[in-house]
Amino acid sequence: MSQMTERPPDSDRPLERLPGQVARVSLPRPVLQSFHYRIPPDLLPTAVPGVRVVVPFGRKRETGILEALVDPPAGGGSRLKDLHSVLDEEPILSPELLHLCRWVADYYVAPAGLVYRAALPPGMLGSAGKGRGELRRQVIHIVRELPTLTEREQVFGKARRQREAYETLEAIGGRAEVAHMERQLGFGRAVLTGLVQRELAEITSETIERDPFAGFHTGPPAPELNPAQERVLEELLHRAEASEPGVAVLRGVTGSGKTVVYLRLMRAVLDRGRTAILLVPEISLTPQTVERVRSEFGDDVAVLHSGLSDGERRDAWAALREGRKRVAVGTRSAVFAPMRDLGVIVVDEEHDGSYKQGETPRYHARSVAVVRARMAGALCVLGSATPSLESWELARRGKWASLVLPERATPHPLPDVQVVDLREELTPPPRILSERLKEALAERLSRGEQSILLLNRRGHSTWISCNDCGWVAACDSCNVSLTWHRKRGRLVCHHCAFEQPSRDICPECGGRTLSFTGVGTEQVERHLGEEFPEARIARMDVDTTGEKWAHRDIIESVRRREVDILLGTQMISKGLDLPGVTLVGVIDADVGLNLPDFRASERTFQLLSQVAGRAGRGSLPGKVYVQTAKPAHFAIQTALQHDFETFATRELDDRAGPGYPPHVRLANLLVTGPDETAVADAAGALGDWLEELIERHEVASTVVLGPAPCPIDRLRGRWRWHLLLKSDDPPALGSILRYSAANAPIPSGLRLEIDRDPESLL
Ligand code: ADP
Ligand code: ZN
Ligand code: ZN
């Protein structure tokens, strides 16, 4: 055994019990390296890759993931500490998931421990002692009754604690969770096992399924496929059978019946004994999709999303891991769902920005889905009415399959979209509704039809300034203006938790004429109430949906026709199938168009296409009004025509010159810190260091842009500068990033954040 020669030289243990290999453990901490521990003999049987382990770390204990058994690091073997304990009887991360997480850690330059934590249900990985979630609940229950006192004396003898435990169990109905007996009632594991050994009680694993969607009514049965859907399904099935199924981009206009196709595909995969994952942007916004999946697959479905309690999520996770459920539906992190023999991953609304995690690990669930599917030999389907240009480009070049559903499946064609030029059709202050949109709303109200209004800006007024001295209400810790929330009487920062009471006097000059501009949804709601006092209005934005199921409740009431006008931010643009809606109005299409971000046009096109797709899905035709001051902008023009291809061609062309994705790969390197000059200096030094690194290694594929202050140059008290790396060689870019993360000169007190394939450069 070659490992034996590498045993720690100072070991005084008998040779035959000496484990040659040590455990490589990653902890959920913001450091890139992993740590090595010796495995004490009693832990050898259970210390296998993929289990959670408790390890000594400094003066504390921490829980981490045992990633691999490896030879001890050269020279350091003697100083290794012992693993403290192993938490799981069997690995909670399969080899496949360990491998996937490793890929995520390497690609996104993220600490592996934080990737594992993101991949596991909440509370599974943290500092030892807290949040040690158990996958399965163990239940201890009485199997033999002891009716007489004499029997009890005989059976228990001097085992006083066992008798207490038995009688406690009796008193609480004969059954309890082991964890409850141990933690709340203070009976040790040995006491409980004693009861089992005496055949008085049994311990069984029982999963208490708590299903938040239980009360949800299920939808109508799935319709027969139309010929276009049949062709797409056939093609997907054909690919799913292949040895390397690859990736298929399914572009289908809103209402073309993509979801129907996903369901049939997933059903076929299940029939072949494999499993399926469906990713959706945000569950609370897509209750209808979840509902359709549930009505198709019933108890085979586990729903995973951030609205679940930790326990609910662990239940769902355990069910998938044990193969009791075979379909996972969820948001971003469901891409890590512990499936057995995965056959397909469907990413619905694949263009959606919420698939990218905004904090470490900054992974993009779409990319992870593609990689996982490849590792598992599964098919990956990326569906959208408005595919991301990244996916579209690969489909266009034939690297990925390209499938199209060009028409709606319902009797009515895509709605007629008209532009309202805000420069010509001046609306009376507060400039919310043009005459045309107002009339259209009134008409819908009189006919008993429903309307949707979109404004992607919340609060009442987003810009409060002094007419005398020019003062602007701004956040103390971010370089952004504060938004006035009228009902709450507060000025609020939408980037951090800062808020202060409303003002009517300028704090700088004492001036009394403050102007409140920049209309938000709260103001629109008020205005609608004044214009249409008889209308039933519902507002859906972050401020009205704090409660766990608030979204669902609002959507349900719209569906029950208890609402005439649904008003909201981009939340209302996604996935809703509300047949009663015949009018969609976009109050200000320019909100996102003016952002200093290379995706501004793409985001605007997507938002307009998606929200327009909410109109006319039932038996009545739909109509859409888009209010804008830039009616000639191509993103707006192509959205009016539902013309994705013209938009994509033009936008791809526009991005070729400056070199933006998908023509190149990006990494955004942010330097942040409390002191502006220090941050600017460090960003400058980092830029020089990167230039030198790239030159020294002759990496012709990669260029450095910047440094420059970020568009939002101060956030939560930290100044922000960034450098942009552009590359057409992903592996080379990866090497540079990993080398930089470990070696770049960043003064203490400052932070370097690496965002690979950034969704936003703000
Ligand atoms: P998408 O996911 O592309 O927006 P959906 O799958 O939600 O489309 O379908 C839109 C509407 O059309 C739904 O109400 C759905 O039931 C209906 N639909 C889909 N396919 C068919 C079909 N082949 N025949 C009749 N109705 C269909
Ligand atoms: Zn003033
Ligand atoms: Zn702030």
Side-chain angles (χ1 to χ4, degrees), residues 474-482 492-499 714-717:
C475 179
D476 276 357
S477 41
C478 311
N479 250 355
V480 298
S481 65
L482 295 175
V492 179
C493 173
H494 284 178
H495 293 271
C496 74
F498 179 82
E499 51 178 66
R714 201 160 64 102
L715 202 59
R716 295 180 200 96

mmCIF file of all heavy atoms in Angstrom, residues 474-482 492-499 714-717, ligand 3:
data_model
loop_
_atom_site.group_PDB
_atom_site.id
_atom_site.type_symbol
_atom_site.label_atom_id
_atom_site.label_comp_id
_atom_site.label_asym_id
_atom_site.label_seq_id
_atom_site.Cartn_x
_atom_site.Cartn_y
_atom_site.Cartn_z
ATOM 1 N N ALA A 474 -30.774 61.723 -0.946
ATOM 2 C CA ALA A 474 -29.957 60.584 -1.362
ATOM 3 C C ALA A 474 -29.614 59.734 -0.151
ATOM 4 O O ALA A 474 -29.663 60.197 0.987
ATOM 5 C CB ALA A 474 -28.682 61.073 -2.037
ATOM 6 N N CYS A 475 -29.259 58.489 -0.443
ATOM 7 C CA CYS A 475 -28.927 57.564 0.634
ATOM 8 C C CYS A 475 -27.598 57.956 1.282
ATOM 9 O O CYS A 475 -26.692 58.433 0.616
ATOM 10 C CB CYS A 475 -28.837 56.145 0.075
ATOM 11 S SG CYS A 475 -28.395 54.912 1.308
ATOM 12 N N ASP A 476 -27.500 57.729 2.586
ATOM 13 C CA ASP A 476 -26.256 58.004 3.298
ATOM 14 C C ASP A 476 -25.136 57.067 2.881
ATOM 15 O O ASP A 476 -23.974 57.429 2.909
ATOM 16 C CB ASP A 476 -26.465 57.814 4.816
ATOM 17 C CG ASP A 476 -27.037 59.074 5.427
ATOM 18 O OD1 ASP A 476 -27.199 60.068 4.673
ATOM 19 O OD2 ASP A 476 -27.326 59.066 6.632
ATOM 20 N N SER A 477 -25.505 55.825 2.534
ATOM 21 C CA SER A 477 -24.436 54.868 2.270
ATOM 22 C C SER A 477 -24.361 54.389 0.818
ATOM 23 O O SER A 477 -23.479 53.618 0.480
ATOM 24 C CB SER A 477 -24.534 53.683 3.220
ATOM 25 O OG SER A 477 -25.851 53.285 3.408
ATOM 26 N N CYS A 478 -25.305 54.834 -0.032
ATOM 27 C CA CYS A 478 -25.226 54.472 -1.454
ATOM 28 C C CYS A 478 -25.319 55.754 -2.276
ATOM 29 O O CYS A 478 -25.979 56.699 -1.854
ATOM 30 C CB CYS A 478 -26.380 53.570 -1.883
ATOM 31 S SG CYS A 478 -26.671 52.154 -0.812
ATOM 32 N N ASN A 479 -24.700 55.748 -3.455
ATOM 33 C CA ASN A 479 -24.870 56.916 -4.319
ATOM 34 C C ASN A 479 -26.104 56.776 -5.191
ATOM 35 O O ASN A 479 -26.007 56.640 -6.398
ATOM 36 C CB ASN A 479 -23.616 57.108 -5.179
ATOM 37 C CG ASN A 479 -22.845 58.333 -4.741
ATOM 38 O OD1 ASN A 479 -23.296 59.077 -3.871
ATOM 39 N ND2 ASN A 479 -21.696 58.543 -5.346
ATOM 40 N N VAL A 480 -27.257 56.782 -4.563
ATOM 41 C CA VAL A 480 -28.524 56.710 -5.292
ATOM 42 C C VAL A 480 -29.530 57.609 -4.584
ATOM 43 O O VAL A 480 -29.378 57.918 -3.395
ATOM 44 C CB VAL A 480 -29.102 55.269 -5.350
ATOM 45 C CG1 VAL A 480 -28.163 54.335 -6.086
ATOM 46 C CG2 VAL A 480 -29.370 54.742 -3.958
ATOM 47 N N SER A 481 -30.555 58.037 -5.342
ATOM 48 C CA SER A 481 -31.564 58.883 -4.718
ATOM 49 C C SER A 481 -32.526 58.024 -3.904
ATOM 50 O O SER A 481 -32.657 56.827 -4.141
ATOM 51 C CB SER A 481 -32.332 59.658 -5.794
ATOM 52 O OG SER A 481 -33.052 58.759 -6.609
ATOM 53 N N LEU A 482 -33.161 58.658 -2.942
ATOM 54 C CA LEU A 482 -34.135 57.943 -2.114
ATOM 55 C C LEU A 482 -35.511 58.018 -2.765
ATOM 56 O O LEU A 482 -35.839 59.003 -3.423
ATOM 57 C CB LEU A 482 -34.195 58.560 -0.717
ATOM 58 C CG LEU A 482 -32.921 58.448 0.117
ATOM 59 C CD1 LEU A 482 -33.087 59.207 1.425
ATOM 60 C CD2 LEU A 482 -32.580 56.990 0.384
ATOM 61 N N VAL A 492 -36.886 55.978 1.205
ATOM 62 C CA VAL A 492 -36.277 54.653 1.294
ATOM 63 C C VAL A 492 -35.217 54.460 0.212
ATOM 64 O O VAL A 492 -35.410 54.877 -0.933
ATOM 65 C CB VAL A 492 -37.368 53.558 1.122
ATOM 66 C CG1 VAL A 492 -36.770 52.158 1.186
ATOM 67 C CG2 VAL A 492 -38.469 53.730 2.155
ATOM 68 N N CYS A 493 -34.111 53.837 0.593
ATOM 69 C CA CYS A 493 -33.096 53.441 -0.392
ATOM 70 C C CYS A 493 -33.435 52.056 -0.907
ATOM 71 O O CYS A 493 -33.617 51.136 -0.115
ATOM 72 C CB CYS A 493 -31.704 53.435 0.233
ATOM 73 S SG CYS A 493 -30.457 52.753 -0.885
ATOM 74 N N HIS A 494 -33.518 51.897 -2.227
ATOM 75 C CA HIS A 494 -33.884 50.598 -2.787
ATOM 76 C C HIS A 494 -32.697 49.652 -2.913
ATOM 77 O O HIS A 494 -32.820 48.547 -3.419
ATOM 78 C CB HIS A 494 -34.573 50.783 -4.141
ATOM 79 C CG HIS A 494 -35.993 51.267 -3.982
ATOM 80 N ND1 HIS A 494 -36.805 51.551 -5.037
ATOM 81 C CD2 HIS A 494 -36.733 51.510 -2.871
ATOM 82 C CE1 HIS A 494 -37.989 51.949 -4.591
ATOM 83 N NE2 HIS A 494 -37.966 51.934 -3.283
ATOM 84 N N HIS A 495 -31.538 50.104 -2.448
ATOM 85 C CA HIS A 495 -30.350 49.236 -2.528
ATOM 86 C C HIS A 495 -29.871 48.753 -1.175
ATOM 87 O O HIS A 495 -29.094 47.828 -1.075
ATOM 88 C CB HIS A 495 -29.211 49.963 -3.242
ATOM 89 C CG HIS A 495 -29.497 50.205 -4.687
ATOM 90 N ND1 HIS A 495 -29.179 49.298 -5.664
ATOM 91 C CD2 HIS A 495 -30.111 51.228 -5.311
ATOM 92 C CE1 HIS A 495 -29.572 49.757 -6.840
ATOM 93 N NE2 HIS A 495 -30.137 50.931 -6.644
ATOM 94 N N CYS A 496 -30.247 49.444 -0.114
ATOM 95 C CA CYS A 496 -29.837 48.992 1.212
ATOM 96 C C CYS A 496 -31.016 49.243 2.154
ATOM 97 O O CYS A 496 -32.084 49.617 1.727
ATOM 98 C CB CYS A 496 -28.584 49.732 1.692
ATOM 99 S SG CYS A 496 -28.878 51.436 2.182
ATOM 100 N N ALA A 497 -30.815 49.043 3.408
ATOM 101 C CA ALA A 497 -31.942 49.140 4.341
ATOM 102 C C ALA A 497 -32.212 50.580 4.798
ATOM 103 O O ALA A 497 -33.143 50.829 5.553
ATOM 104 C CB ALA A 497 -31.671 48.258 5.555
ATOM 105 N N PHE A 498 -31.413 51.543 4.296
ATOM 106 C CA PHE A 498 -31.532 52.902 4.826
ATOM 107 C C PHE A 498 -32.898 53.529 4.547
ATOM 108 O O PHE A 498 -33.433 53.420 3.449
ATOM 109 C CB PHE A 498 -30.444 53.788 4.200
ATOM 110 C CG PHE A 498 -30.479 55.210 4.649
ATOM 111 C CD1 PHE A 498 -29.902 55.586 5.854
ATOM 112 C CD2 PHE A 498 -31.119 56.188 3.883
ATOM 113 C CE1 PHE A 498 -29.933 56.896 6.283
ATOM 114 C CE2 PHE A 498 -31.164 57.501 4.311
ATOM 115 C CZ PHE A 498 -30.567 57.864 5.510
ATOM 116 N N GLU A 499 -33.467 54.159 5.562
ATOM 117 C CA GLU A 499 -34.657 54.975 5.332
ATOM 118 C C GLU A 499 -34.756 56.079 6.358
ATOM 119 O O GLU A 499 -34.116 56.031 7.411
ATOM 120 C CB GLU A 499 -35.927 54.125 5.300
ATOM 121 C CG GLU A 499 -36.122 53.171 6.472
ATOM 122 C CD GLU A 499 -37.447 52.414 6.339
ATOM 123 O OE1 GLU A 499 -37.580 51.617 5.407
ATOM 124 O OE2 GLU A 499 -38.336 52.635 7.175
ATOM 125 N N ARG A 714 -21.135 53.882 -5.083
ATOM 126 C CA ARG A 714 -21.089 53.618 -3.650
ATOM 127 C C ARG A 714 -22.342 52.847 -3.262
ATOM 128 O O ARG A 714 -23.459 53.231 -3.632
ATOM 129 C CB ARG A 714 -21.006 54.906 -2.846
ATOM 130 C CG ARG A 714 -20.458 54.677 -1.429
ATOM 131 C CD ARG A 714 -19.934 55.978 -0.842
ATOM 132 N NE ARG A 714 -21.022 56.934 -0.689
ATOM 133 C CZ ARG A 714 -21.612 57.189 0.479
ATOM 134 N NH1 ARG A 714 -21.212 56.612 1.570
ATOM 135 N NH2 ARG A 714 -22.598 58.054 0.530
ATOM 136 N N LEU A 715 -22.163 51.733 -2.557
ATOM 137 C CA LEU A 715 -23.273 50.857 -2.202
ATOM 138 C C LEU A 715 -23.039 50.354 -0.791
ATOM 139 O O LEU A 715 -21.966 49.840 -0.484
ATOM 140 C CB LEU A 715 -23.301 49.692 -3.207
ATOM 141 C CG LEU A 715 -24.599 48.928 -3.400
ATOM 142 C CD1 LEU A 715 -25.714 49.828 -3.865
ATOM 143 C CD2 LEU A 715 -24.403 47.806 -4.424
ATOM 144 N N ARG A 716 -24.035 50.493 0.053
ATOM 145 C CA ARG A 716 -23.947 50.032 1.443
ATOM 146 C C ARG A 716 -22.650 50.462 2.104
ATOM 147 O O ARG A 716 -21.954 49.694 2.744
ATOM 148 C CB ARG A 716 -24.075 48.514 1.527
ATOM 149 C CG ARG A 716 -25.448 48.042 1.092
ATOM 150 C CD ARG A 716 -25.594 46.542 1.166
ATOM 151 N NE ARG A 716 -26.711 46.130 0.323
ATOM 152 C CZ ARG A 716 -26.579 45.698 -0.925
ATOM 153 N NH1 ARG A 716 -25.392 45.607 -1.473
ATOM 154 N NH2 ARG A 716 -27.635 45.364 -1.610
ATOM 155 N N GLY A 717 -22.297 51.718 1.877
ATOM 156 C CA GLY A 717 -21.143 52.270 2.572
ATOM 157 C C GLY A 717 -19.800 51.939 1.949
ATOM 158 O O GLY A 717 -18.764 52.352 2.453
HETATM 159 ZN ZN ZN B 3 -28.589 52.778 0.369
#
